[in-house]
Structure formats: structure tokens, C-alpha cells
């Protein structure tokens, strides 16, 4: 994957005051023991730049604790003599560090490096490795912010392989070597010094991709349940939440920016605590214990709604997660009705926040209300696209496509259009009919959609009519009518069917 770093913009940054301050900040990390901020997200470079610009007070340049510096030193010593000239040698070193139980982290003989440490203390571990082999390993400053890694990789053309499976903790730790290799290759491709690479990672690129994100959150499409306070200090942190608080939590990959979350605190209160909004689409974080992570913010405290009230409610008491005492329920979906009922119950105990999100009552569309294909498009298809999180700029209606000599056709909806004629490509297509009363009608619609989909390289095609929707995923470079998945319009109002369709039609 070719680098997409704009040389002109990068030189402007390096010659700016901020760029010089950032590269100077990373000119040497040998004084790491005096800079506890190196263990913070983004290695505290932005705090340093703001201070030098006289916009904030001096950052606390407190030294690391003896335990922290001892950890870093132990890893540095253990790694210093190991060969790291090949990917195999890098993997071997990373593996032996966590499996040999020989890296003594303190005077306590039982305190040795294990496979748990990458998921609890990666900043310490990565800093020690970086000090031992700076041309191979990089200090890790994206704890709780891995979504930035994904956006940086996409924006600047870094090749990152898929994250290993959730349960394979060893491979997820070894993925740290892949992470470092991708950024080191980017460094070589662009002729960056090591301080310039770190400035790119933790200042330039983070700010660059952050500017592309709109500030306003979209309206929520789904409601989710999050669980906190399981033998830890979650309650105090959640109580201290401010309007600008951001944190990350165990999530579900279907969580999307703008969705609303109901936070339930198990211990010590056993009650619904607050509402939160999803501020970044959920993502896979190889270095987070739970792997599936979601960033949440904008907390709204609720009147404490005890678990016994959930159990006693005729609607919520039938929820399968409530029946299971909310075991393993963090990141599970709530229906719109269940969410609104939770707010009703909380509102009976005290005032609700004025800006608590609500879901609109959906319009019930009857077949007798539909008189044409355009009615199906306006009243059924386009609202469905909105529920999938697609705005009007994400799809094109009646996309002109040349199919043969002088022949032009117009697929009803093209999603994820890229390129220009004659090399137009799409991610998905929707072909709409007014009615499709039997198999022959559905097959005819399928063959028409398939011809467009094959021509445009679609990954999925959909046929829609007043009776419902068929979804076809491309497999072995073809679409098969027999593999179509049928959904009624009622099934596509909310819930698992909508989220599954979004995974198929929305390119991430």
C-alpha cells in the first residue's frame, strides 16, 4: 500500500513551531524516568506543545514511580541482547518475554512479566522495548484510542493486517510487532527520522484525522447496555463524569457513532446509573483485554434505577439479559421500546436530563398505502437507508451505467460509489419493484440486480418490494438466487436484522 503522506503538507508541519516542538520533544527518550507523561495517551506531546505556546500551565513533569521505571528498565535489559533483524526474531523475542517468566519486574520474586501485562501495561512494556531496539519497536501511546490507529492507517496508507481472534491473547500481543513494523516501514518510505515518526504518530496524524470528524453526533440508531463496577473503581469514575468526559468500554462492533448507551453499575449499587453516547464507531483493539472497544462520552446522570425494578417490570423483566442477572450483558442491544421503558422507570424516581435522547415512534406503512414503485422507495427504502446510517451523500439514485454498446441502465440505488465512468464501482446496489408477489417476480428482480452488480463490482445486491427485501452477498465472485436472505419490513425496523444488513451494505 503506497504512502499517502502529502510531502508539501508534511514539510510545512516540520517547519512550523508546533512541528519543531514535537520533534524536539521526541529527540531523545533517555530521560524517560523523569517523564511520567510518556505513559499517557499520545505520550503527552500535545500538553508539551500547548505549554510552550503559553496556552496552558506547565505540564506536570513528574518522574515515574520507582515501580514504573523498574518495569521499563527490566524490559529494556531483557530485550537489549536479543536479535531482532527479522520478523521471526521479533516474534521470538516478544513471545519469550511473556512466556519465560524470567523478566523480573521488581524485587518481589513473584512479580514477573506474563501475558497479562501487554493488556494492562503496554506503555511500560513498549517503552522498554523501544529503548532496547529503537529502530524496531515504538513506544505505544494509543491506549484507549486505538480507533486513531485505524483512521491513520486508512488515511496515510499504512498496511495493517486483520487483528487476531479475541481469545488468542498471544497472537494479539505479537500483533504489537506488526503495529511497529507498519509504522517503521512508513518511516522508511517517507525518509523520516525517528523523532519525526513519533511526532507524526502522536501529534500530526492524530490532529489531521481528528479534523475530518464532524463535531455534532448523529441521532442515535440503536440503544445498548453497558455494565460497569465489576469489582473495580468504575462507580467513582462514572460519578465524576463531566460533559466532555471520554472513556472507552467493552463494546459491540455494531455500535455506531451517535448511538445511546444505558450504563448499569453492578457493584456496589446494582442500578442503572447514566446515559452515554457513542463518540466513535466501535472497533477491534488488539491490546484491549476485551478486544471489542467503543469510545463513549457526553454522560447524562439518571436517577438510580435499582435492578429489582428492572426484574419487576412486565417488559424489561422478560429481557433475556435481565433474566440472567445481566451476566455478560455489556455491549448487548436494547430495543427502542426497552430503552424508552428504562427512561420511564427512571423518570418515576426523579427528573430525567432534558437532553436525554429518545427514539421517534415509527410510521407504520401499510401495503394499501403504496401505489407505485416510487412510493416503495420514498416510504420504505430511503427510511431504511437512514436506519442503516447512510446519509443522502452515501448513495446515488438512478446511477447511469453503460452496459453495452449504446446501452445505458439506471440501478435504483447505488451505495458506496467510487471512480468515474467507465471505471465506476459500487459497494452495494438496491433494485426496487412495486410488487413482487411470487418467486418468479423475485427472480426477475434478482437477475436484473445481478447484471448491474457484476458490472459494477458490487459486494452485495438487494431487491426490495412492498412485500419485503432479499439480500445477496457476493460469494466466489458470483451472486446466487438460492442464497438470498429474506426480511419483512417489520423485521427491518430495528434490531439484529438491521445491524446485520448494515454490516453487509455499509463499507467500513
Amino acid at each position: 500500500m503506497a504512502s499517502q503522506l502529502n510531502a508539501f503538507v508534511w514539510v510545512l508541519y516540520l517547519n512550523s513551531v508546533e512541528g519543531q516542538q514535537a520533534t524536539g520533544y521526541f529527540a531523545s527518550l533517555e530521560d524517560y524516568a523523569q517523564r511520567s507523561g510518556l505513559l499517557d495517551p499520545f505520550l503527552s506531546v500535545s500538553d508539551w506543545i500547548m505549554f510552550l505556546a503559553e496556552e496552558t500551565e506547565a505540564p506536570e513533569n513528574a518522574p515515574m514511580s520507582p515501580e514504573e521505571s523498574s518495569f521499563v528498565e527490566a524490559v529494556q535489559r531483557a530485550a537489549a541482547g536479543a536479535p531482532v533483524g527479522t520478523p521471526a526474531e521479533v516474534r521470538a523475542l516478544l513471545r519469550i518475554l511473556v512466556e519465560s517468566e524470567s523478566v523480573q519486574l521488581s524485587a518481589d520474586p513473584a512479580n514477573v512479566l506474563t501475558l497479562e501485562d501487554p493488556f494492562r501495561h503496554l506503555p511500560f512494556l513498549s517503552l522498554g522495548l523501544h529503548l532496547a531496539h529503537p529502530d524496531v519497536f515504538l513506544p505505544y501511546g494509543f491506549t484507549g484510542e486505538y480507533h486513531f490507529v485505524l483512521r491513520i492507517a486508512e488515511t496515510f496508507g499504512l498496511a495493517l493486517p486483520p487483528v487476531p481472534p479475541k481469545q488468542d491473547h498471544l497472537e494479539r500481543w505479537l500483533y504489537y510487532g506488526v503495529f511497529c513494523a507498519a509504522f517503521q516501514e512508513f518511516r522508511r518510505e517517507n525518509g523520516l527520522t525517528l523523532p519525526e515518526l513519533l511526532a507524526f504518530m502522536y501529534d500530526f496524524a492524530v490532529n489531521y484525522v481528528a479534523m475530518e470528524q464532524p463535531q455534532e453526533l448523529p441521532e442515535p440508531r440503536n440503544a445498548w447496555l453497558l455494565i460497569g463496577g465489576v469489582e473495580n473503581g468504575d462507580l467513582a469514575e462514572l460519578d465524576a463524569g463531566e460533559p466532555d468526559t471520554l472513556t472507552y468500554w467493552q463494546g459491540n462492533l455494531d455500535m455506531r457513532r451517535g448511538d445511546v448507551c444505558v450504563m448499569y453499575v453492578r457493584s456496589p449499587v446494582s442500578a442503572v446509573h447514566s446515559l452515554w453516547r457513542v463518540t466513535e464507531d466501535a472497533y477491534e483493539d488488539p491490546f484491549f483485554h476485551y478486544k471489542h472497544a467503543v469510545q463513549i462520552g457526553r454522560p447524562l446522570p439518571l436517577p438510580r434505577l435499582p435492578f429489582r425494578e428492572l426484574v419487576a417490570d412486565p417488559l424489561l423483566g422478560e429481557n433475556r439479559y435481565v433474566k440472567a442477572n445481566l451476566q455478560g450483558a455489556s455491549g448487548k442491544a436494547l430495543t427502542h421500546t426497552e430503552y424508552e421503558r428504562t427512561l420511564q422507570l427512571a423518570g418515576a424516581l426523579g427528573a430525567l436530563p432534558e437532553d436525554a435522547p429518545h427514539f421517534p415512534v415509527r410510521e407504520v406503512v401499510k401495503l394499501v398505502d403504496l401505489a407505485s414503485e416510487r412510493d416503495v422507495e420514498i416510504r420504505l427504502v430511503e427510511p431504511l437507508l437512514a436506519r442503516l446510517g447512510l446519509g443522502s451523500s452515501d448513495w446515488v439514485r438512478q446511477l447511469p451505467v453503460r452496459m453495452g454498446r449504446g446501452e445505458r441502465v439506471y440501478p435504483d440505488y447505488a451505495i458506496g460509489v467510487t471512480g468515474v465512468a467507465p471505471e465506476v464501482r459500487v459497494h452495494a446496489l438496491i433494485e426496487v419493484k412495486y410488487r413482487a408477489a411470487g418467486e418468479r417476480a423475485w427472480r426477475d428482480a434478482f437477475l436484473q440486480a445481478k447484471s448491474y452488480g457484476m458490472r459494477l463490482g458490487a459486494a452485495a445486491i438487494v431487491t426490495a418490494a412492498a412485500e419485503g427485501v432479499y439480500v445477496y452477498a457476493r460469494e466466489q465472485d458470483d451472486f446466487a438466487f438460492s442464497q438470498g436472505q429474506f426480511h419483512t419490513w417489520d423485521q427491518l425496523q430495528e434490531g439484529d436484522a438491521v445491524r446485520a444488513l448494515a454490516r453487509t451494505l455499509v463499507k467500513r
Side-chain angles (χ1 to χ4, degrees):
M1 185 183 295
S3 170
Q4 299 169 21
L5 178 61
N6 184 299
F8 176 72
V9 174
W10 176 244
V11 169
L12 287 179
Y13 168 77
L14 288 180
N15 291 332
S16 69
V17 173
E18 178 182 332
Q20 292 172 6
Q21 290 170 344
T23 53
Y25 181 79
F26 292 119
S28 174
L29 300 184
E30 293 299 326
D31 62 344
Y32 69 90
Q34 301 304 313
R35 298 163 65 181
S36 59
L38 288 174
L39 304 175
D40 295 336
F42 313 121
L43 310 188
S44 288
V45 61
S46 60
D47 293 340
W48 176 252
I49 292 171
M50 293 289 286
F51 163 61
L52 292 181
E54 298 182 351
E55 295 184 19
T56 62
E57 296 180 359
E60 292 187 14
N61 199 22
M64 295 181 186
S65 69
E67 293 79 10
E68 292 170 339
S69 57
S70 175
F71 190 119
V72 175
E73 291 165 9
V75 174
Q76 182 181 6
R77 286 194 304 269
V84 290
T86 67
E89 290 174 340
V90 169
R91 283 178 59 89
L93 171 59
L94 295 179
R95 184 165 188 160
I96 198 170
L97 284 175
V98 299
E99 290 187 334
S100 66
E101 297 187 358
S102 62
V103 182
Q104 199 76 38
L105 299 175
S106 70
D108 181 357
N111 188 17
V112 296
L113 194 66
T114 70
L115 188 53
E116 294 181 1
D117 287 294
F119 304 99
R120 297 186 303 176
H121 306 302
L122 185 54
F124 305 87
L125 187 46
S126 65
L127 182 54
L129 284 165
H130 172 72
L131 294 168
H133 299 285
D135 289 328
V136 175
F137 300 112
L138 296 168
Y140 186 79
F142 290 106
T143 298
E145 305 284 355
Y146 194 78
H147 56 93
F148 276 111
V149 175
L150 301 175
R151 288 162 59 189
I152 290 169
E154 180 180 7
T155 302
F156 296 100
L158 280 79
L160 284 173
V163 175
K166 177 181 179 180
Q167 299 303 326
D168 197 339
H169 283 72
L170 177 60
E171 283 298 322
R172 284 168 58 195
W173 158 232
L174 297 178
Y175 194 82
Y176 167 69
V178 175
F179 164 87
C180 294
F183 278 95
Q184 293 283 16
E185 178 61 24
F186 179 86
R187 171 192 169 193
R188 287 187 286 273
E189 287 179 355
N190 292 279
L192 308 184
T193 65
L194 186 55
E196 288 172 349
L197 174 64
L198 295 176
F200 167 83
M201 292 173 65
Y202 297 118
D203 182 48
F204 175 84
V206 168
N207 290 321
Y208 188 97
V209 299
M211 286 190 299
E212 299 176 344
Q213 184 81 290
Q215 295 298 309
E216 289 300 315
L217 292 178
E219 291 298 312
R221 287 177 283 135
N222 293 295
W224 304 90
L225 181 63
L226 297 180
I227 307 293
V230 184
E231 298 181 359
N232 56 29
D234 285 347
L235 180 60
E237 293 185 15
L238 293 170
D239 281 343
E242 299 288 341
D244 59 350
T245 294
L246 292 175
T247 187
Y248 68 110
W249 221 261
Q250 177 186 1
N252 182 308
L253 287 182
D254 287 329
M255 289 178 163
R256 294 292 178 268
R257 192 168 182 269
D259 283 355
V260 61
C261 303
V262 176
M263 181 66 72
Y264 176 89
V265 178
R266 185 180 300 283
S267 176
V269 293
S270 299
V272 171
H273 177 276
S274 50
L275 300 178
W276 294 70
R277 301 293 297 279
V278 176
T279 56
E280 295 283 347
D281 289 355
Y283 52 93
E284 291 185 317
D285 184 341
F287 313 120
F288 179 43
H289 176 76
Y290 297 105
K291 185 184 175 186
H292 296 166
V294 64
Q295 188 183 81
I296 57 174
R298 307 192 185 184
L300 296 173
L302 292 177
R304 298 278 174 86
L305 177 60
F307 179 70
R308 62 177 180 273
E309 297 286 341
L310 304 181
V311 174
D313 184 72
L315 173 66
L316 297 176
E318 291 301 309
N319 179 285
R320 57 175 172 163
Y321 304 115
V322 173
K323 285 184 174 181
N325 294 318
L326 299 181
Q327 295 294 328
S330 194
K332 302 302 183 183
L334 296 171
T335 67
H336 294 181
T337 304
E338 289 171 335
Y339 168 79
E340 295 292 348
R341 181 57 179 161
T342 301
L343 292 191
Q344 272 188 334
L345 293 178
L349 301 176
L352 293 176
E354 291 184 1
D355 48 351
H358 290 276
F359 292 97
V361 178
R362 70 179 178 91
E363 177 190 12
V364 177
V365 179
K366 299 178 181 179
L367 286 180
V368 295
D369 297 332
L370 303 173
S372 65
E373 180 177 304
R374 187 61 181 142
D375 279 351
V376 175
E377 292 178 345
I378 293 174
R379 302 193 63 182
L380 294 175
V381 174
E382 292 181 10
L384 173 61
L385 294 176
R387 291 195 295 277
L388 298 177
L390 294 166
S392 58
S393 62
D394 297 317
W395 49 265
V396 176
R397 181 173 177 270
Q398 297 287 299
L399 175 73
V401 179
R402 187 176 297 280
M403 296 290 286
R405 181 176 298 179
E407 181 184 7
R408 183 167 293 191
V409 297
Y410 299 87
D412 291 318
Y413 291 88
I415 300 169
V417 180
T418 57
V420 295
E423 300 300 324
V424 174
R425 292 291 182 267
V426 304
H427 180 66
L429 290 170
I430 302 177
E431 185 62 25
V432 183
K433 302 299 180 185
Y434 170 39
R435 302 296 300 269
E439 181 177 329
R440 181 173 179 177
W442 283 114
R443 186 180 291 275
D444 288 345
F446 164 77
L447 293 174
Q448 185 177 0
K450 176 179 175 177
S451 67
Y452 302 156
M454 297 300 288
R455 163 68 177 80
L456 295 170
I461 57 175
V462 173
T463 54
E467 290 80 5
V469 168
Y470 271 99
V471 183
Y472 307 86
R474 190 169 187 146
E475 297 180 1
Q476 298 180 343
D477 202 31
D478 198 6
F479 297 100
F481 180 70
S482 61
Q483 298 301 310
Q485 299 292 317
F486 180 76
H487 303 283
T488 67
W489 288 106
D490 279 343
Q491 291 171 331
L492 292 175
Q493 294 304 312
E494 61 169 305
D496 291 341
V498 176
R499 289 186 285 275
L501 185 58
R503 289 194 293 272
T504 301
L505 300 189
V506 181
K507 188 174 183 180
R508 295 190 66 192

